[in-house]
Amino acid sequence: NYSGLYKSVDNGLTWASCDNVKFSAGSNFGMAGYFRKDGYVYMIGTRSGRDYPACLARFKEADIEDQDKYEYWNGTTGQWIAGDESKATAIINEKVGELSFIYNTKHKKWIIAYFNADRYNITMRTAEDITGPWSAPYELASGKEYAQLYGSYFHPLSATGDELYFLMSMWMPYNVFLMKAELADMGEF
């Protein structure tokens, strides 16, 4: 019925709820990915499920437990709006599921990957700025080749160099696989 944030101060031995961070069942941030850069933590989220556009938020690292200080990107007005998630507009306006994103320092681009049900694939897009514009979709893995695929979670090593590593799940054999893609010139796909 909601999503929230939990933290551990003992290397994952125990966990506690961050009671000041909670997104409702209908929130555009019911499912989210995070990436830390330049003193901010960026959060790209969708409503729960796999069939909703992706929206963008950010907060200063020190404010991670204070949702009132989260800022939401409003592409319509081109500004960050504090404390009102209803002002967040879609940065990727298609079906986005199980997303993950990074900033690649070699190519100086943001990279996002997600499951797209309409194309039945793991889709990748890039952008020079986190707010977009995001590139046309590029297929990282096809459901025709990898039946019942989903998920697309980047390994931190993908943030540098030419190798893009991501975890991809498959319903049958109900397992997770480490996938690798080579990044080329990062121009047009």
Side-chain angles (χ1 to χ4, degrees), residues 5-187:
L5 192 63
Y6 282 73
K7 71 176 179 179
S8 175
V9 294
D10 57 9
N11 295 317
L13 186 62
T14 61
W15 293 86
S17 174
C18 300
D19 293 330
N20 293 328
V21 180
K22 194 172 281 190
F23 292 96
S24 71
S27 170
N28 287 324
F29 298 92
M31 297 175 71
Y34 299 85
F35 192 85
R36 180 177 60 157
K37 184 178 184 300
D38 300 331
Y40 282 95
V41 176
Y42 293 93
M43 178 173 72
I44 298 178
T46 65
R47 294 182 76 166
S48 295
R50 297 176 171 150
D51 297 329
Y52 299 99
C55 294
L56 174 64
R58 73 177 184 183
F59 46 86
K60 293 182 180 174
E61 290 180 49
D63 295 330
I64 191 169
E65 292 184 53
D66 188 351
Q67 189 172 345
D68 291 336
K69 293 186 179 176
Y70 286 27
E71 298 176 321
Y72 302 90
W73 178 249
N74 184 296
T76 305
T77 61
Q79 60 186 345
W80 294 98
I81 298 173
D84 186 357
E85 73 167 282
S86 71
K87 300 296 184 187
T89 58
I91 58 168
I92 298 176
N93 198 13
E94 69 172 5
K95 292 180 180 178
V96 175
E98 297 144 352
L99 69 89
S100 179
F101 68 104
I102 58 164
Y103 182 79
N104 182 283
T105 56
K106 178 178 180 182
H107 295 281
K108 296 181 177 29
K109 292 198 184 225
W110 290 93
I111 303 171
I112 189 170
Y114 53 90
F115 175 75
N116 179 274
D118 290 339
R119 287 188 293 274
Y120 189 38
N121 72 6
I122 303 296
T123 294
M124 179 180 98
R125 292 177 184 257
T126 65
E128 291 183 17
D129 193 308
I130 189 72
T131 60
W134 288 85
S135 70
Y138 176 79
E139 184 173 84
L140 278 180
S142 168
K144 292 177 184 173
E145 186 174 355
Y146 302 100
Q148 300 176 334
L149 81 172
Y150 64 98
S152 53
Y153 304 105
F154 287 125
H155 187 282
L157 287 177
S158 300
T160 60
D162 291 319
E163 289 83 27
L164 187 66
Y165 296 96
F166 63 98
L167 298 174
M168 180 183 77
S169 298
M170 292 175 65
W171 178 250
M172 295 300 271
Y174 200 62
N175 213 331
V176 179
F177 299 88
L178 178 62
M179 306 292 284
K180 177 183 174 185
E182 295 288 331
L183 298 174
D185 61 8
M186 294 294 285

